[in-house]
């Protein structure tokens, strides 16, 4: 749900878009679905791909297979990469800000949200801390205690 009364969410039988009462189409009604984030940016889905747009429809991240999740002031990106093994995939995580600027590269294997709004990121057996404003404290070199190890999916 968005707070801007000038924006109209337009849905047809199979498509969705966003229309601004004064300026016209922000996103044409060609998308499978979309969501308006609390900061006014727009996550749009089309044919299994996601893109991120600002409130005026300017592309921040073009449509791709990267999965985008809003996390307060930053966005978490999950990029699935094919590995050298047949039929094997690996997901690497990274962060961008609301302007589409990369804050952290796609190198993390797990992200855990903390109650204080920060995120612990994991790269192998090292960890780092992402603060609520998107700043980063580098990964530590020592191994993690077992209770902080990322959980492996079976």
């Amino acid at each position: 749900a968005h707070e801007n009364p000038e924006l109209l969410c337009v849905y047809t039988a199979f498509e969705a878009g966003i229309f601004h009462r004064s300026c016209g189409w922000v996103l044409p009604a060609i998308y499978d679905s979309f969501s308006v984030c609390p900061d006014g940016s727009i996550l749009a889905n089309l044919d299994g791909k996601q893109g991120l747009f600002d409130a005026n429809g300017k592309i921040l991240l073009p449509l791709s297979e990267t999965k985008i999740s809003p996390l307060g002031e930053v966005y978490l990106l999950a990029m699935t990469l094919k590995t050298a093994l047949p039929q094997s995939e690996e997901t690497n995580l990274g962060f961008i800000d609301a302007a589409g600027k990369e804050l952290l590269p796609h190198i993390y294997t797990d992200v855990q949200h903390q109650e204080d709004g920060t995120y612990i990121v994991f790269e192998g057996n090292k960890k780092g801390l992402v603060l609520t404003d998107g700043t980063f404290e580098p990964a530590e070199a020592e191994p993690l205690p077992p209770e902080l190890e990322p959980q492996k999916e079976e």
Side-chain angles (χ1 to χ4, degrees):
H2 59 82
E3 302 295 325
N4 187 340
E6 292 293 306
L7 293 180
L8 300 172
C9 302
V10 178
Y11 298 93
T12 67
F14 302 103
E15 298 165 324
I18 298 180
F19 189 83
H20 190 283
R21 293 178 194 268
S22 303
C23 305
W25 287 103
V26 175
L27 290 182
I30 62 168
Y31 295 92
D32 299 330
S33 64
F34 64 85
S35 59
V36 179
C37 302
D39 67 359
S41 61
I42 303 162
L43 277 174
N45 300 289
L46 180 64
D47 298 331
K49 297 180 179 182
Q50 281 190 313
L52 184 64
F53 301 83
D54 71 9
N56 298 313
K58 177 185 169 202
I59 297 172
L60 300 176
L61 284 176
L63 289 167
S64 73
E65 293 181 3
T66 299
K67 300 301 177 206
I68 307 166
S69 303
L71 298 175
E73 301 295 316
V74 298
Y75 295 87
L76 176 67
L77 304 179
M79 181 180 289
T80 302
L81 307 169
K82 299 287 184 190
T83 63
L85 300 172
Q87 297 183 346
S88 180
E89 294 181 342
E90 181 178 290
T91 299
N92 290 336
L93 306 170
F95 288 84
I96 63 165
D97 65 13
K101 177 185 170 203
E102 181 180 84
L103 299 174
L104 294 175
H106 285 80
I107 60 172
Y108 300 98
T109 54
D110 192 28
V111 173
Q112 293 178 0
H113 181 251
Q114 305 300 298
E115 289 182 19
D116 63 1
T118 62
Y119 299 88
I120 296 176
V121 293
F122 296 89
E123 180 186 4
N125 69 343
K126 297 185 287 184
K127 69 177 180 177
L129 181 67
V130 179
L131 304 176
T132 54
D133 64 358
T135 57
F136 177 73
E137 294 181 10
E140 298 172 6
E142 71 268 5
L144 296 171
E147 67 272 11
L148 289 179
E149 280 291 333
Q151 300 299 311
K152 302 278 188 222
E153 291 185 21
E154 304 278 328

